[in-house]
């Protein structure tokens, strides 16, 4: 993870870098630092703590003069968060400074070799070997030294590099960690992600693996790893600048929760034409779809939960067997990928290391990969055979909400499209479902319009809860997985999710007086079964919160409180029932006084294994 920004241009670099880093804090926020070339020397300021600490230390950047610099916000992997382990890292005579995102896997071997040569190390980081290696190879030709270092490094890296004797140049390189180059009228940028530079420019280049970029005040030069100059095409980012700002909301998470109607609408509407679902970017003929024998859905975190919902929906509608894997497992378990298999990788960032590795595993075995991705131009988007973009816009809060909701919408579109082509649902059912699909954004809006104050009230009752369980059957189980993750990741309340029918096989032993059990009941044919499970936990002291369809009064009778969601097709209920669960988690975390957008130990974009 970690966030990188770099600048060379006409303006003061430090304030611009701090501004850029503030948009990258979602990538890590345990320490931060800047290296600024002041025309003579490379000055460093870095410290443990949030970006605010660095900003205070440098008087908002005013204390560091210079128009060339690099900045970093860290999510510690090697070496605990500390002033010394913060980036940038610098060599002994302070002539080279480096910021790094990724992991140098062979750093110990390199470090030992450098120690033998007499190099001394200040930090416990893997990154420090990069700057010391550069020191050992740099004989006046920066590109040659960088290319040489690249041949020595295993693992993943995006690097920003500044040399003391090169006050007019900024260098960067990437392998398996994202890096973009931005060009504005007043300067040039490098950044881990678009939001960091969106205020300055929308004109960007995407660096590919193994490519090096040299930025001067007037030029941008790209090279391959053999140092041959290469041409790259400039792309224009479509994201709106305001999308990366809080816009009056207390937290990005709350803003993003409220952006869901639009995000889901933007994902669904362009793919509905003449009362049919048209997914041009799928690039699959009717024949291809009919010949599908199996689908693997591979993802991490909340995107994995979307995959779980997708399994229920696709299997039920399109009658194609679906296997859902966590990317970290899929990549190492030698999955059976045969002809007729489609692999779907779901990822908001398009940069998650395990998901990217899973994609490569599938492609290597000759299976087509469809990416369901939010960030245009991200690594997974570029490497997948086909990409279906979710149009959620930039998501900043670590805990995903709107990207998750758009991924669900993508699953429904695919399931319905496959089902129609394969003839596994009737035209009448398809038309009916299409109507319900179109209504989802408005229904989410109505939950937000009518439910926020109620959820605030409900959340206030559960702030002191120590343990919680989320239960459900069918797609409700998959919603339970997401609701449970949301609560634990931002409120730090212990939480687990179970299929309601599984409770009796162990988890029920954990129910005590005051345990919160959130029960999801949106599948009418399963109401009775889940109600029995609610009664079982209630009689053992649990405080039961029901999330159910309008009109299901039975659920209210066996729960402390009940939340009602509007009626929709049974395959789509996750899109509605998850909204109160997001709000519940949000208000519980706010009630506990936690930093909702930056939960402890987490980062949004997990670019390490
Ligand atoms: C992190 C985030 C989650 C996200 C997961 C997968 O854990 O905190 O919100 O679901 O990564 O990320 P991706 O970008 O691949 O969707």
């Amino acid at each position: 993870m970690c966030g990188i920004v770099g600048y060379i241009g006409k303006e003061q670099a430090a304030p611009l870098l701090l501004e850029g880093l503030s948009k990258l804090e979602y990538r890590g926020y345990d320490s931060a630092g800047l290296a600024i070339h002041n025309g003579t020397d490379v000055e460093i300021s870095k410290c443990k703590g949030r970006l605010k600490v660095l900003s205070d230390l440098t008087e908002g950047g005013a204390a560091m003069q210079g128009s060339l610099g690099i900045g970093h916000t860290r999510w510690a992997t090697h070496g605990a968060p500390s002033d010394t382990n913060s980036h940038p890292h610098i060599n002994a005579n302070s002539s080279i400074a480096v910021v790094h995102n990724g992991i140098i896997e062979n750093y110990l071997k390199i470090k030992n070799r450098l120690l033998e040569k007499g190099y001394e190390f200040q930090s416990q980081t893997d990154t420090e070997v990069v700057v010391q290696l550069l020191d050992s190879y740099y004989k006046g030709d920066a590109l040659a030294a960088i290319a040489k270092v690249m041949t020595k490094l295993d693992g993943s890296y995006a690097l920003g590099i500044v040399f003391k004797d090169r006050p007019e140049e900024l260098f960067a390189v990437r392998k398996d960690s994202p890096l973009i180059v931005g060009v504005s009228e007043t300067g040039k940028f490098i950044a881990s992600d678009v939001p960091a530079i969106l205020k300055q420019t929308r004109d960007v280049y995407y660096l590919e693996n193994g490519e090096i970029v040299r930025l001067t005040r007037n030029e941008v030069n790209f090279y391959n790893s053999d140092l041959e100059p290469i041409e790259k095409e400039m792309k224009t980012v479509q994201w709106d600048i305001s999308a990366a700002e809080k816009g009056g909301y207390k937290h990005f998470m709350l803003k993003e929760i409220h952006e869901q109607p639009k995000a889901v609408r933007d994902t669904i509407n362009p793919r509905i034409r003449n009362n049919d679902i048209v997914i041009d970017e799928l690039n699959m003929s009717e024949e291809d779809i009919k010949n599908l024998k199996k689908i693997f859905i591979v993802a991490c975190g909340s995107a994995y939960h979307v995959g779980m919902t997708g399994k229920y929906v696709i299997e039920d509608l399109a009658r194609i067997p679906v296997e859902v894997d966590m990317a970290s497992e899929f990549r190492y378990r030698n999955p059976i990928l045969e002809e007729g298999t489609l692999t779907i990788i779901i990822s908001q960032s398009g940069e998650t290391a395990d998901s990217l590795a899973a994609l490569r595993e599938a492609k290597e075995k000759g299976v087509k990969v469809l990416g369901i991705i939010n960030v245009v131009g991200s690594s997974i988007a570029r490497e997948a055979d086909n990409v279906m973009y979710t149009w959620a816009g930039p998501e900043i809060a670590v805990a995903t909400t709107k990207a998750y909701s758009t991924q669900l919408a993508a699953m429904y579109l695919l399931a319905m499209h496959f089902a129609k082509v394969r003839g596994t649902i009737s035209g009448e059912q398809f038309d009916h479902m299409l109507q319900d699909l179109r209504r989802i954004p408005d229904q989410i809006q109505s939950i937000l319009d009518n439910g926020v104050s109620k959820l605030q009230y409900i959340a206030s009752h559960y702030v002191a809860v120590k343990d919680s369980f989320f239960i459900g059957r069918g797609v409700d189980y998959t919603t339970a997985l997401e609701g449970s993750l949301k609560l634990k990741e931002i409120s730090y309340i212990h939480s687990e999710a179970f299929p309601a029918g599984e409770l009796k096989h162990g988890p029920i032993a954990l129910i005590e007086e005051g345990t919160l059990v959130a029960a999801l009941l949106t599948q009418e044919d399963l109401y009775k079964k889940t109600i029995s499970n609610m009664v079982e936990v209630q009689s053992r002291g649990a405080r039961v919160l029901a999330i159910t369809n309008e009109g299901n009064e039975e659920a209210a009778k066996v729960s402390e409180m009940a939340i009602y969601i509007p009626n929709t097709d049974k395959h789509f209920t996750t899109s509605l029932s998850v909204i109160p669960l997001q709000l519940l988690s949000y208000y519980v975390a706010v009630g506990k006084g936690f930093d909702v957008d930056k939960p402890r130990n987490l980062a949004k974009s997990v670019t390490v294994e």
Side-chain angles (χ1 to χ4, degrees):
M1 0 266 206
C2 303
I4 290 179
V5 193
Y7 174 76
I8 181 165
K10 295 181 193 155
E11 295 180 45
Q12 286 298 307
L16 281 176
L17 296 179
L18 287 171
E19 156 76 28
L21 289 178
S22 74
K23 300 286 183 290
L24 291 182
E25 273 201 289
Y26 70 85
R27 301 179 68 85
Y29 32 80
D30 57 46
S31 46
L34 297 176
I36 305 291
H37 202 307
N38 63 16
T40 320
D41 291 310
V42 179
E43 256 188 276
I44 305 265
S45 287
K46 56 182 191 172
C47 50
K48 182 181 163 183
R50 295 281 160 94
L51 191 61
K52 173 86 175 58
V53 185
L54 178 69
S55 182
D56 290 348
L57 186 73
T58 59
E59 295 161 27
M64 299 184 84
Q65 293 292 310
S67 52
L68 161 62
I70 45 180
H72 189 267
T73 176
R74 181 169 186 246
W75 189 87
T77 57
H78 295 61
S82 71
D83 291 353
T84 318
N85 287 335
S86 310
H87 301 214
H89 290 281
I90 196 144
N91 59 341
N93 64 7
S94 301
S95 61
I96 308 172
V98 168
V99 287
H100 169 217
N101 167 31
I103 290 184
I104 308 300
E105 288 170 357
N106 58 340
Y107 84 104
L108 273 179
K109 208 164 119 197
I110 299 174
K111 189 169 178 174
N112 287 336
R113 242 185 263 141
L114 288 165
L115 284 168
E116 281 166 22
K117 284 191 187 170
Y119 277 90
E120 285 178 16
F121 285 79
Q122 309 299 323
S123 75
Q124 286 86 49
T125 65
D126 51 334
T127 305
E128 204 180 347
V129 302
V130 178
V131 72
Q132 306 289 29
L133 263 186
L134 272 170
D135 179 285
S136 72
Y137 292 131
Y138 183 54
K139 308 280 181 265
D141 184 341
L143 285 171
I146 293 169
K148 180 88 180 169
V149 167
M150 286 165 70
T151 63
K152 304 288 173 192
L153 303 179
D154 290 342
S156 59
Y157 49 85
L159 301 167
I161 309 163
V162 171
F163 294 84
K164 177 181 161 174
D165 65 353
R166 296 182 169 271
E168 298 295 322
E169 288 163 288
L170 166 61
F171 295 90
V173 59
R174 72 156 270 182
K175 182 187 161 251
D176 293 341
S177 288
L179 201 76
I180 59 164
V181 172
V183 179
S184 79
E185 281 183 6
T186 56
K188 320 248 170 346
F189 295 83
I190 55 163
S192 303
D193 199 357
V194 170
I197 57 170
L198 206 49
K199 223 175 177 176
Q200 311 301 329
T201 183
R202 290 180 179 201
D203 294 332
V204 302
Y205 296 94
Y206 293 95
L207 225 57
E208 299 290 340
N209 274 344
E211 290 177 355
I212 307 173
V213 62
R214 170 181 169 270
L215 307 173
T216 67
R217 280 170 229 279
N218 305 316
E219 281 178 62
V220 184
N221 308 118
F222 297 100
Y223 304 89
N224 63 20
S225 51
D226 294 327
L227 296 184
E228 291 158 351
I230 49 172
E231 292 294 320
K232 291 188 79 72
E233 197 189 328
M234 186 190 276
K235 302 263 161 71
T236 303
V237 174
Q238 300 301 334
W239 283 353
D240 182 354
I241 298 167
S242 66
E245 307 286 336
K246 267 190 221 157
Y249 286 94
K250 194 166 172 221
H251 295 101
F252 277 112
M253 183 175 173
L254 190 60
K255 178 184 176 231
E256 288 159 6
I257 287 174
H258 283 272
E259 284 173 344
Q260 291 179 108
K262 177 177 185 316
V264 174
R265 195 174 290 121
D266 288 351
T267 302
I268 292 176
N269 282 6
R271 288 153 177 142
I272 299 181
R273 274 177 241 157
N274 303 326
N275 289 324
D276 201 359
I277 290 173
V278 184
I279 312 174
D280 295 323
E281 60 274 48
L282 199 55
N283 280 323
M284 285 176 85
S285 66
E286 296 208 342
E287 210 48 37
D288 293 337
I289 293 171
K290 284 183 186 147
N291 288 337
L292 275 176
K293 291 198 180 62
K294 183 170 185 171
I295 296 175
F296 272 102
I297 305 181
V298 188
C300 301
S302 296
Y304 168 79
H305 298 157
V306 171
M308 289 289 288
T309 314
K311 174 183 169 74
Y312 281 90
V313 177
I314 296 172
E315 286 191 343
D316 191 42
L317 293 174
R319 309 307 296 155
I320 307 167
V322 178
E323 214 172 307
V324 193
D325 264 52
M326 291 177 184
S328 53
E329 289 300 312
F330 179 86
R331 60 183 293 191
Y332 293 120
R333 77 173 176 87
N334 197 13
I336 300 164
L337 295 162
E338 290 169 333
E339 223 192 304
T341 304
L342 171 69
T343 300
I344 301 178
I345 309 272
I346 308 176
S347 172
Q348 186 284 129
S349 63
E351 300 293 348
T352 303
D354 285 320
S355 303
L356 183 57
L359 170 148
R360 290 177 181 158
E361 167 83 17
K363 280 186 80 174
E364 211 166 89
K365 294 203 166 143
V367 163
K368 279 251 179 293
V369 175
L370 170 69
I372 296 184
I373 308 293
N374 194 43
V375 177
V376 175
S378 56
S379 301
I380 299 178
R382 279 175 295 146
E383 291 191 30
D385 295 297
N386 297 300
V387 184
M388 187 173 169
Y389 281 112
T390 51
W391 300 113
E395 193 179 61
I396 312 289
V398 166
T400 180
T401 51
K402 62 172 179 171
Y404 165 87
S405 283
T406 56
Q407 291 163 352
L408 281 178
M411 283 288 113
Y412 305 154
L413 287 164
L414 278 178
M416 287 176 64
H417 179 57
F418 287 166
K420 186 165 185 195
V421 171
R422 293 166 68 92
T424 47
I425 57 173
S426 68
E428 200 186 334
Q429 191 185 354
F430 181 89
D431 292 345
H432 203 265
M433 288 186 78
L434 199 61
Q435 267 181 26
D436 278 1
L437 185 68
R438 286 181 134 137
R439 281 167 54 210
I440 292 176
D442 289 341
Q443 290 180 317
I444 297 176
Q445 189 65 57
S446 84
I447 297 172
L448 293 170
D449 291 344
N450 307 319
V452 168
S453 48
K454 182 170 180 191
L455 258 304
Q456 257 173 303
Y457 170 77
I458 292 176
S460 68
H461 282 70
Y462 297 124
V463 168
V465 155
K466 297 244 165 339
D467 295 294
S468 61
F469 296 92
F470 286 67
I471 60 169
R473 291 166 184 262
V475 293
D476 285 340
Y477 165 54
T478 71
T479 320
L481 286 167
E482 178 60 9
S484 169
L485 178 65
K486 282 279 98 57
L487 187 68
K488 87 174 97 180
E489 65 183 344
I490 59 170
S491 75
Y492 316 143
I493 292 175
H494 167 245
S495 180
E496 294 181 51
F498 293 105
E502 190 63 17
L503 272 185
K504 283 200 275 293
H505 299 285
I508 202 165
L510 296 170
I511 302 290
E512 295 180 344
E513 203 61 40
T515 305
L516 166 63
V517 175
L520 288 126
L521 306 93
T522 69
Q523 307 296 298
E524 220 173 321
D525 47 338
L526 297 168
Y527 278 172
K528 282 204 174 71
K529 307 272 175 208
T530 304
I531 284 182
S532 304
N533 301 126
M534 289 158 74
V535 174
E536 285 158 11
V537 292
Q538 202 172 39
S539 60
R540 286 162 178 83
R543 300 172 66 183
V544 179
L545 170 68
I547 299 96
T548 189
N549 300 330
E550 269 162 12
N552 180 13
E553 302 305 331
E554 278 307 298
K557 291 185 193 150
V558 292
S559 54
E560 188 175 78
M561 285 189 249
I563 300 167
Y564 292 97
I565 58 158
N567 289 308
T568 183
D569 182 276
K570 67 175 186 174
H571 300 90
F572 304 152
T573 56
T574 300
S575 287
L576 304 183
S577 53
V578 78
I579 309 295
L581 298 181
Q582 295 168 345
L583 288 166
L584 175 74
S585 305
Y586 174 79
Y587 285 114
V588 168
V590 168
K592 296 183 86 156
F594 294 142
D595 188 347
V596 176
D597 286 338
K598 302 186 190 91
R600 72 182 179 207
N601 305 339
L602 297 178
K604 184 159 192 66
S605 185
V606 183
T607 53
V608 295
E609 279 191 47

